[in-house]
């Protein structure tokens, strides 16, 4: 009978286990060698997309800049610093903006906790309305406010990207970029009464028109009641400026004198005609009939940081 050498069996078993571990380790190392490229790409892709999403987009402006030679409005009104670009948004960005607008939710009169708006602080009230469609009490149209100065709130990526673009083209200084966006929805024939944007913002406003409908935008001198009434009347006649705002991604920027010393408005009515007196900066001969339809405006401004929050109406 053959004697079993248990010591030799244990030695062989240990060798087998060691060899198995070595093979497994080699396979793990081989897998790890190829894994980093996949893992790094998976982790970095969202970051790259976020960065890309917030970078300024390509516009239809020559050299991607707002030009004094091309876009500054020259008219008999002698109003400083009004710029207009009929084609600003590229078709892809135009489609993206219109698609995003459809995702804005409606504002509910009660909060998620069923606490009525009368029980909210001013900051909470602003946050309740922020980023939601709200129907104005004194007008038929809807507005949606996006206030980037509120605590714990950032502009949606598409609005932040447009804001960055407005800085890159020279509409706003990099030290005071747009941080406040008001979206207005206009049904055919709806307008907005003469108003100023006021001292709550830096003296610069940029508005993008979407939806396809054209309107006539009007700048009028603010009424200054002085002893020189006749001088003021002459000034009011000379410093009227109209512009046709085209509804397929056009851009108007007005600042300084145009912002501080003038009101702006859009008259109500489905049909309106430009005058033949040279008042319209982009239709000097006049006589153009503008038929009003559905329009959405995106108005960008730099809001000065302060304690109180007031919703302003703009074009």
């Amino acid at each position: 009978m053959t004697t079993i050498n248990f010591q030799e069996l244990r030695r062989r078993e240990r060798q087998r286990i060691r060899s198995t571990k070595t093979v497994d380790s080699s396979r793990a190392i081989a897998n790890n060698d190829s894994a980093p490229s996949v893992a790094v790409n998976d982790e970095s892709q969202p970051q790259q997309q976020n960065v890309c999403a917030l970078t300024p987009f390509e516009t239809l402006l020559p050299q991607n800049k707002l030009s004094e030679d091309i876009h500054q409005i020259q008219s008999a009104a002698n109003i400083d610093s009004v710029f207009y670009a009929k084609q600003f948004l590229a078709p892809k960005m135009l489609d993206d903006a219109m698609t995003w607008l459809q995702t804005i939710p409606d504002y509910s009169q009660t909060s998620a906790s069923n606490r009525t708006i009368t029980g909210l602080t001013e900051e909470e009230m602003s946050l309740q309305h922020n980023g939601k469609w709200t129907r104005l009490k004194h007008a038929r149209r809807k507005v949606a406010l996006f206030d980037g100065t509120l605590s714990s709130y950032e502009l949606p990526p598409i609005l932040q990207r447009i804001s960055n673009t407005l800085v890159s083209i020279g509409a706003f200084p990099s030290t005071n970029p747009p941080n406040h966006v008001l979206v207005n929805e206009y049904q055919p024939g709806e307008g907005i009464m003469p108003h100023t944007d006021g001292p709550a913002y830096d003296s610069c406003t940029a508005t993008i028109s979407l939806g396809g409908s054209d309107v006539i935008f009007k700048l009028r001198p603010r009424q200054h009641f002085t002893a020189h009434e006749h001088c003021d009347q002459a000034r009011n006649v000379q410093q009227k400026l109209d512009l046709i705002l085209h509804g397929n991604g056009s851009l108007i920027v007005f600042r300084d004198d145009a912002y501080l010393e003038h009101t702006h408005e859009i008259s109500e009515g489905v049909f309106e005609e430009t005058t033949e007196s040279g008042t319209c900066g982009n239709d000097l001969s006049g006589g153009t009939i503008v038929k009003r339809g559905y329009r959405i405006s995106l108005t960008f401004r730099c809001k000065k940081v302060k304690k109180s929050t007031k919703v302003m109406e703009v074009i």
Side-chain angles (χ1 to χ4, degrees):
M1 185 175 68
T2 305
T3 304
I4 299 176
N5 189 339
F6 290 100
Q7 185 175 0
E8 179 65 20
L9 288 176
R10 285 195 297 270
R11 184 183 66 80
R12 292 179 180 178
E13 181 64 18
R14 286 195 296 269
Q15 287 181 344
R16 187 187 65 80
I17 294 174
R18 282 197 298 268
S19 63
T20 301
K21 289 182 177 180
T22 302
V23 171
D24 291 342
S25 299
S26 300
R27 289 175 179 173
I29 293 173
N31 290 334
N32 289 336
D33 286 342
S34 59
S37 61
V38 176
V40 170
N41 288 339
D42 289 343
E43 295 175 357
S44 63
Q45 189 65 27
Q47 296 175 359
Q48 291 174 355
Q49 289 178 350
N50 289 339
V51 171
C52 179
L54 299 180
T55 55
F57 59 84
E58 290 293 324
T59 71
L60 298 180
L61 304 180
Q63 299 180 349
N64 235 35
K65 292 293 181 182
L66 202 62
S67 168
E68 292 185 0
D69 296 333
I70 301 175
H71 303 111
Q72 188 168 16
I73 298 299
Q74 305 291 339
S75 71
N78 195 29
I79 300 176
D80 296 335
S81 300
V82 179
F83 299 82
Y84 180 72
K86 181 178 179 179
Q87 294 181 316
F88 172 61
L89 285 181
K92 175 63 167 64
M93 194 63 196
L94 186 64
D95 292 341
D96 290 347
M98 291 301 295
T99 300
W100 171 78
L101 286 168
Q102 297 175 8
T103 67
I104 299 177
D106 289 326
Y107 171 72
S108 173
Q109 290 298 316
T110 54
S111 66
S113 61
N114 293 325
R115 184 160 56 121
T116 61
I117 59 176
T118 56
L120 300 177
T121 65
E122 185 178 17
E123 176 78 3
E124 289 173 332
M125 175 78 78
S126 298
L127 286 171
Q128 284 285 316
H129 283 272
N130 212 39
K132 301 179 181 68
W133 285 118
T134 302
R135 190 168 296 280
L136 299 176
K137 293 181 180 180
H138 56 280
R140 292 173 295 172
R141 71 180 185 280
K142 294 194 304 182
V143 301
L145 172 66
F146 298 86
D147 188 347
T149 68
L150 295 177
S151 59
S152 304
Y153 182 81
E154 295 181 354
L155 294 179
I158 191 168
L159 295 183
Q160 186 60 60
R161 188 182 180 195
I162 296 176
S163 174
N164 295 346
T165 303
L166 291 171
V167 171
S168 70
I169 67 171
F172 287 84
S174 58
T175 53
N176 296 85
N179 56 14
H180 183 282
V181 186
L182 190 60
V183 182
N184 274 282
E185 182 188 60
Y186 294 90
Q187 299 298 330
E190 290 183 345
I192 187 168
M193 63 185 297
H195 67 281
T196 65
D197 289 351
Y201 311 93
D202 289 345
S203 56
C204 182
T205 294
T207 294
I208 300 170
S209 296
L210 308 173
S213 173
D214 301 344
V215 296
I216 298 179
F217 169 83
K218 301 176 180 179
L219 280 171
R220 298 292 184 266
R222 298 178 63 180
Q223 296 294 330
H224 296 280
F225 298 99
T226 67
H228 305 286
E229 183 178 352
H230 295 293
C231 294
D232 283 349
Q233 290 178 352
R235 176 177 179 271
N236 290 344
V237 171
Q238 294 175 357
Q239 294 198 340
K240 294 180 179 179
L241 176 63
D242 296 348
L243 283 173
I244 300 176
L245 305 186
H246 299 85
N248 290 319
S250 68
L251 170 69
I252 181 174
V253 178
F254 60 95
R255 53 193 181 209
D256 302 333
D257 174 65
Y259 182 101
L260 296 170
E261 298 298 332
H262 295 77
T263 63
H264 53 279
E265 63 181 285
I266 295 174
S267 301
E268 293 190 346
V270 177
F271 293 96
E272 191 170 10
E273 184 176 356
T274 59
T275 64
E276 298 179 359
S277 61
T279 303
C280 186
N282 55 356
D283 185 31
L284 296 178
S285 60
T288 299
I289 297 177
V290 175
K291 181 180 179 180
R292 305 268 294 281
Y294 180 78
R295 173 177 175 263
I296 290 183
S297 66
L298 308 179
T299 296
F300 291 76
R301 295 168 297 189
C302 179
K303 183 180 178 181
K304 300 173 183 177
V305 178
K306 60 179 182 179
K307 293 183 180 179
S308 62
T309 303
K310 183 178 179 181
V311 177
M312 302 291 292
E313 290 184 321
V314 293
I315 58 168

